[in-house]
PDB file of all heavy atoms in Angstrom:
ATOM      1  N   ALA A  97     -83.009  79.675  86.033  1.00  0.00           N
ATOM      2  CA  ALA A  97     -82.180  78.612  86.599  1.00  0.00           C
ATOM      3  C   ALA A  97     -82.340  78.572  88.115  1.00  0.00           C
ATOM      4  O   ALA A  97     -82.848  79.515  88.725  1.00  0.00           O
ATOM      5  CB  ALA A  97     -80.714  78.836  86.230  1.00  0.00           C
ATOM      6  N   SER A  98     -81.879  77.470  88.707  1.00  0.00           N
ATOM      7  CA  SER A  98     -81.798  77.391  90.167  1.00  0.00           C
ATOM      8  C   SER A  98     -80.324  77.535  90.541  1.00  0.00           C
ATOM      9  O   SER A  98     -79.461  76.869  89.975  1.00  0.00           O
ATOM     10  CB  SER A  98     -82.380  76.077  90.682  1.00  0.00           C
ATOM     11  OG  SER A  98     -81.695  74.976  90.144  1.00  0.00           O
ATOM     12  N   TYR A  99     -80.061  78.446  91.464  1.00  0.00           N
ATOM     13  CA  TYR A  99     -78.706  78.839  91.821  1.00  0.00           C
ATOM     14  C   TYR A  99     -78.412  78.488  93.276  1.00  0.00           C
ATOM     15  O   TYR A  99     -79.315  78.435  94.103  1.00  0.00           O
ATOM     16  CB  TYR A  99     -78.532  80.356  91.668  1.00  0.00           C
ATOM     17  CG  TYR A  99     -78.949  80.888  90.329  1.00  0.00           C
ATOM     18  CD1 TYR A  99     -80.250  81.345  90.113  1.00  0.00           C
ATOM     19  CD2 TYR A  99     -78.058  80.943  89.266  1.00  0.00           C
ATOM     20  CE1 TYR A  99     -80.645  81.840  88.878  1.00  0.00           C
ATOM     21  CE2 TYR A  99     -78.443  81.444  88.024  1.00  0.00           C
ATOM     22  CZ  TYR A  99     -79.735  81.881  87.841  1.00  0.00           C
ATOM     23  OH  TYR A  99     -80.116  82.369  86.628  1.00  0.00           O
ATOM     24  N   LYS A 100     -77.126  78.317  93.570  1.00  0.00           N
ATOM     25  CA  LYS A 100     -76.678  78.138  94.950  1.00  0.00           C
ATOM     26  C   LYS A 100     -75.407  78.949  95.140  1.00  0.00           C
ATOM     27  O   LYS A 100     -74.372  78.669  94.543  1.00  0.00           O
ATOM     28  CB  LYS A 100     -76.394  76.658  95.235  1.00  0.00           C
ATOM     29  CG  LYS A 100     -75.800  76.394  96.607  1.00  0.00           C
ATOM     30  CD  LYS A 100     -76.799  76.676  97.703  1.00  0.00           C
ATOM     31  CE  LYS A 100     -76.243  76.211  99.046  1.00  0.00           C
ATOM     32  NZ  LYS A 100     -76.342  77.197 100.071  1.00  0.00           N
ATOM     33  N   VAL A 101     -75.534  79.981  95.959  1.00  0.00           N
ATOM     34  CA  VAL A 101     -74.380  80.811  96.328  1.00  0.00           C
ATOM     35  C   VAL A 101     -73.871  80.261  97.654  1.00  0.00           C
ATOM     36  O   VAL A 101     -74.633  80.133  98.611  1.00  0.00           O
ATOM     37  CB  VAL A 101     -74.772  82.292  96.479  1.00  0.00           C
ATOM     38  CG1 VAL A 101     -73.557  83.129  96.845  1.00  0.00           C
ATOM     39  CG2 VAL A 101     -75.422  82.805  95.199  1.00  0.00           C
ATOM     40  N   SER A 102     -72.603  79.935  97.705  1.00  0.00           N
ATOM     41  CA  SER A 102     -72.038  79.322  98.922  1.00  0.00           C
ATOM     42  C   SER A 102     -72.097  80.293 100.095  1.00  0.00           C
ATOM     43  O   SER A 102     -72.005  81.511  99.932  1.00  0.00           O
ATOM     44  CB  SER A 102     -70.594  78.894  98.677  1.00  0.00           C
ATOM     45  OG  SER A 102     -69.746  80.030  98.571  1.00  0.00           O
ATOM     46  N   ALA A 103     -72.234  79.721 101.282  1.00  0.00           N
ATOM     47  CA  ALA A 103     -72.256  80.532 102.506  1.00  0.00           C
ATOM     48  C   ALA A 103     -70.954  81.301 102.653  1.00  0.00           C
ATOM     49  O   ALA A 103     -70.945  82.438 103.138  1.00  0.00           O
ATOM     50  CB  ALA A 103     -72.501  79.625 103.714  1.00  0.00           C
ATOM     51  N   LYS A 104     -69.868  80.716 102.230  1.00  0.00           N
ATOM     52  CA  LYS A 104     -68.555  81.359 102.299  1.00  0.00           C
ATOM     53  C   LYS A 104     -68.532  82.638 101.457  1.00  0.00           C
ATOM     54  O   LYS A 104     -68.041  83.678 101.890  1.00  0.00           O
ATOM     55  CB  LYS A 104     -67.494  80.363 101.802  1.00  0.00           C
ATOM     56  CG  LYS A 104     -66.084  80.758 102.018  1.00  0.00           C
ATOM     57  CD  LYS A 104     -65.203  79.590 101.564  1.00  0.00           C
ATOM     58  CE  LYS A 104     -63.751  79.872 101.805  1.00  0.00           C
ATOM     59  NZ  LYS A 104     -62.908  78.756 101.382  1.00  0.00           N
ATOM     60  N   LEU A 105     -69.070  82.554 100.239  1.00  0.00           N
ATOM     61  CA  LEU A 105     -69.127  83.721  99.366  1.00  0.00           C
ATOM     62  C   LEU A 105     -70.055  84.792  99.932  1.00  0.00           C
ATOM     63  O   LEU A 105     -69.736  85.985  99.916  1.00  0.00           O
ATOM     64  CB  LEU A 105     -69.573  83.313  97.962  1.00  0.00           C
ATOM     65  CG  LEU A 105     -69.687  84.410  96.909  1.00  0.00           C
ATOM     66  CD1 LEU A 105     -68.353  85.127  96.713  1.00  0.00           C
ATOM     67  CD2 LEU A 105     -70.156  83.836  95.583  1.00  0.00           C
ATOM     68  N   LEU A 106     -71.193  84.378 100.459  1.00  0.00           N
ATOM     69  CA  LEU A 106     -72.136  85.329 101.061  1.00  0.00           C
ATOM     70  C   LEU A 106     -71.511  86.029 102.263  1.00  0.00           C
ATOM     71  O   LEU A 106     -71.716  87.233 102.465  1.00  0.00           O
ATOM     72  CB  LEU A 106     -73.420  84.632 101.473  1.00  0.00           C
ATOM     73  CG  LEU A 106     -74.308  84.113 100.337  1.00  0.00           C
ATOM     74  CD1 LEU A 106     -75.469  83.305 100.900  1.00  0.00           C
ATOM     75  CD2 LEU A 106     -74.805  85.241  99.474  1.00  0.00           C
ATOM     76  N   ALA A 107     -70.718  85.312 103.043  1.00  0.00           N
ATOM     77  CA  ALA A 107     -70.091  85.888 104.231  1.00  0.00           C
ATOM     78  C   ALA A 107     -69.055  86.943 103.864  1.00  0.00           C
ATOM     79  O   ALA A 107     -68.823  87.878 104.629  1.00  0.00           O
ATOM     80  CB  ALA A 107     -69.448  84.792 105.069  1.00  0.00           C
ATOM     81  N   ARG A 108     -68.432  86.805 102.704  1.00  0.00           N
ATOM     82  CA  ARG A 108     -67.405  87.758 102.277  1.00  0.00           C
ATOM     83  C   ARG A 108     -67.997  89.067 101.746  1.00  0.00           C
ATOM     84  O   ARG A 108     -67.291  90.045 101.574  1.00  0.00           O
ATOM     85  CB  ARG A 108     -66.533  87.158 101.160  1.00  0.00           C
ATOM     86  CG  ARG A 108     -65.596  86.095 101.662  1.00  0.00           C
ATOM     87  CD  ARG A 108     -64.518  85.795 100.659  1.00  0.00           C
ATOM     88  NE  ARG A 108     -64.973  85.683  99.294  1.00  0.00           N
ATOM     89  CZ  ARG A 108     -64.802  84.606  98.518  1.00  0.00           C
ATOM     90  NH1 ARG A 108     -64.210  83.548  98.985  1.00  0.00           N
ATOM     91  NH2 ARG A 108     -65.224  84.609  97.280  1.00  0.00           N
TER      92      ARG A 108
END
Side-chain angles (χ1 to χ4, degrees):
S98 59
Y99 308 92
K100 175 68 172 131
V101 181
S102 71
K104 190 175 183 180
L105 180 59
L106 292 174
R108 287 195 316 238

